[in-house]
Amino acid sequence: MPAPSHNALRIILKILALLTAVAGLFLIFVGRPMFARMPFHPPESEVTTMLLIVVKEMGGLILMVSAMFFLASRDPVRNVAILDALIIGLCVLAITPIVSLYTLDARSLYPAYLIWGRAVGRLVLAAVLFFLKPREGAVTVK
């Protein structure tokens, strides 16, 4: 029996690696004026040095995740744990904004339909990755 091809999964992981690398580099090199022009337009007085430090550290973490996606895209069968973590993370990231929508005053920052849309998009991506990930009994031949 021929081994299943995981080309679609490899392509999705490489696209995610590229997008997260760009986002991570942006967060690392963003300055105070550029941060104030981001989509949610925080007041200039709320963009503190501590916030910028945390944003730059988050950019480093995102670059680390980007490297994990790229390495997992090279051999998805051996890196199923990274795929599982990505799927779980996407599910958690789909739930937390909805919780904050109803427990905090998040409607003042974003409209509710954008929060729900992002949550549904993340769940759809998690479902696609779940169905594309290699199964335990899959044997690959190179």
Side-chain angles (χ1 to χ4, degrees):
M1 184 169 150
S5 176
H6 300 291
N7 288 334
L9 182 59
R10 285 186 176 116
I11 291 170
I12 290 172
L13 286 172
K14 285 181 182 176
I15 291 171
L16 286 174
L18 179 68
L19 290 175
T20 54
V22 168
L25 289 172
F26 176 76
L27 289 177
I28 288 173
F29 293 113
V30 70
R32 190 179 309 266
M34 180 63 96
F35 192 80
R37 282 187 237 128
M38 289 179 77
F40 52 89
H41 301 292
E44 186 75 29
S45 62
E46 290 186 13
V47 181
T48 63
T49 304
M50 181 60 98
L51 176 65
L52 290 174
I53 290 171
V54 170
V55 165
K56 290 178 188 311
E57 287 185 12
M58 184 63 68
L61 287 172
I62 291 173
L63 275 178
M64 177 186 65
V65 171
S66 174
M68 290 171 57
F69 290 161
F70 177 73
L71 295 174
S73 73
R74 293 171 54 194
D75 190 6
V77 176
R78 286 184 41 203
N79 296 305
V80 175
I82 293 174
L83 294 173
D84 289 338
L86 174 60
I87 293 167
I88 292 169
L90 284 170
C91 291
V92 169
L93 285 174
I95 294 170
T96 53
I98 294 172
V99 169
S100 64
L101 178 66
Y102 292 109
T103 58
L104 304 171
D105 189 25
R107 285 184 183 88
S108 63
L109 295 174
Y110 294 111
Y113 69 89
L114 286 178
I115 294 173
W116 277 99
R118 275 190 346 189
V120 169
R122 288 172 178 167
L123 287 175
V124 166
L125 181 59
V128 167
L129 290 172
F130 179 77
F131 288 112
L132 288 178
K133 80 174 189 167
R135 302 293 169 217
E136 290 180 21
V139 177
T140 59
V141 178
K142 290 188 178 185

